[in-house]
Amino acid sequence: MRAYSTPFRGRFPGPGIVSSSQRVSRSPLHVLRWEQPDRSFEYRRPRIPSRLLASLNPHENIYTLPNILTFSRLLSAPVVGYLIIHEQHLPALALFVYAGITDLVDGWIARKWNLQTVVGTVIDPMADKTLMTVVTVCLAVKAALPVPLAVLILGRDAVLGLVALYYRYISLPAPKTLARYWDFSLPSAEVRPTGISKVNTALQLGLVGWTMGGMAIGGDLGMWGEGGALRAMW
């Protein structure tokens, strides 16, 4: 088998067409081999649609401004409880008001700039329940709230928390491991509160905020005694 070279001329290098500065070796089997590869062509990585990339990557971006505000509200709960126990009522009230403002702002920002995440739908009610649980226990310890009312609030929140943990487990994509369960960048079922739940949470926050306000200004909390507080909640 002999190979020989033949010059070719062409206006545009391409398959089967070569420029004058290029030569190809051709065998009787008609196998072409480039001796001088053309450097005028550059390989460009094909563009992949963003929707396809999202489907290939199961993780979502959890480091958004609404989620950061929600995390700050979650972290403020033990601080508020500490301030109440040590009778620092004015700082406790200020931090409680901040938590209430972030509860309104984070949802608005997420809807306004399309920053909704599945983890946000989970940690938002979690932060609310954690704040209510800590503040309710501390106020009951300081005898600012009646014990039966505190038990009622805590029992409801405990049941809702267990239900949320259960739905997180059954909706988590396989494999179901402990590390994947607590990896909130892996989306699962969304948690959406009902209208009745929102009203009930607003009433609880109003009761707790009113009580903390009375403690901050040193007012008389007799109207929030055991009978009065239960009648207000009912």
Side-chain angles (χ1 to χ4, degrees):
M1 178 184 301
R2 288 192 312 172
Y4 58 92
S5 300
T6 304
F8 289 86
R9 296 182 181 273
R11 290 177 297 176
F12 183 80
I17 303 176
V18 296
S19 62
S20 58
S21 62
Q22 295 173 327
R23 294 176 178 272
V24 295
S25 296
R26 182 179 179 186
S27 67
L29 297 179
H30 303 287
V31 177
L32 297 178
R33 178 175 59 83
W34 292 97
E35 292 182 350
Q36 297 179 2
D38 191 355
R39 302 296 183 181
S40 62
F41 291 101
E42 294 182 0
Y43 173 75
R44 294 185 178 180
R45 191 174 183 177
R47 294 183 178 180
I48 303 177
S50 58
R51 293 183 178 180
L52 180 58
L53 287 176
S55 62
L56 295 176
N57 184 14
H59 296 265
E60 64 179 1
N61 181 25
I62 64 175
Y63 302 103
T64 61
L65 180 59
N67 289 346
I68 293 175
L69 293 175
T70 305
F71 274 117
S72 69
R73 184 168 72 255
L74 182 62
L75 296 177
S76 68
V79 180
V80 174
Y82 174 85
L83 294 174
I84 293 175
I85 292 297
H86 290 80
E87 298 184 355
Q88 302 292 325
H89 301 305
L90 189 58
L93 178 62
L95 194 55
F96 183 80
V97 171
Y98 163 79
I101 293 175
T102 58
D103 191 19
L104 297 175
V105 172
D106 58 1
W108 179 80
I109 294 176
R111 293 187 297 269
K112 178 73 173 179
W113 283 278
N114 194 23
L115 296 175
Q116 297 98 330
T117 59
V118 176
V119 65
T121 64
V122 176
I123 64 174
D124 184 73
M126 181 187 301
D128 295 338
K129 301 309 177 187
T130 302
L131 181 64
M132 283 300 305
T133 300
V134 172
V135 174
T136 301
V137 170
C138 294
L139 290 178
V141 170
K142 302 298 290 186
L145 283 181
V147 175
L149 179 58
V151 171
L152 182 64
I153 295 175
L154 296 178
R156 173 184 175 272
D157 291 343
V159 171
L160 292 178
L162 292 176
V163 171
L165 293 176
Y166 172 73
Y167 273 99
R168 165 70 177 174
Y169 175 77
I170 64 175
S171 62
L172 183 68
K176 300 180 185 296
T177 62
L178 186 62
R180 288 172 55 83
Y181 182 86
W182 295 109
D183 185 3
F184 290 108
S185 63
L186 291 172
S188 58
E190 297 185 10
V191 179
R192 297 186 179 276
T194 60
I196 298 177
S197 178
K198 292 181 179 179
V199 172
N200 185 76
T201 302
L203 292 176
Q204 292 180 8
L205 292 174
L207 171 65
V208 171
W210 186 277
T211 304
M212 293 179 62
M215 297 173 66
I217 65 177
D220 183 13
L221 297 179
M223 63 176 298
W224 295 112
E226 184 171 345
L230 288 176
R231 285 195 299 272
M233 290 302 296
W234 289 113

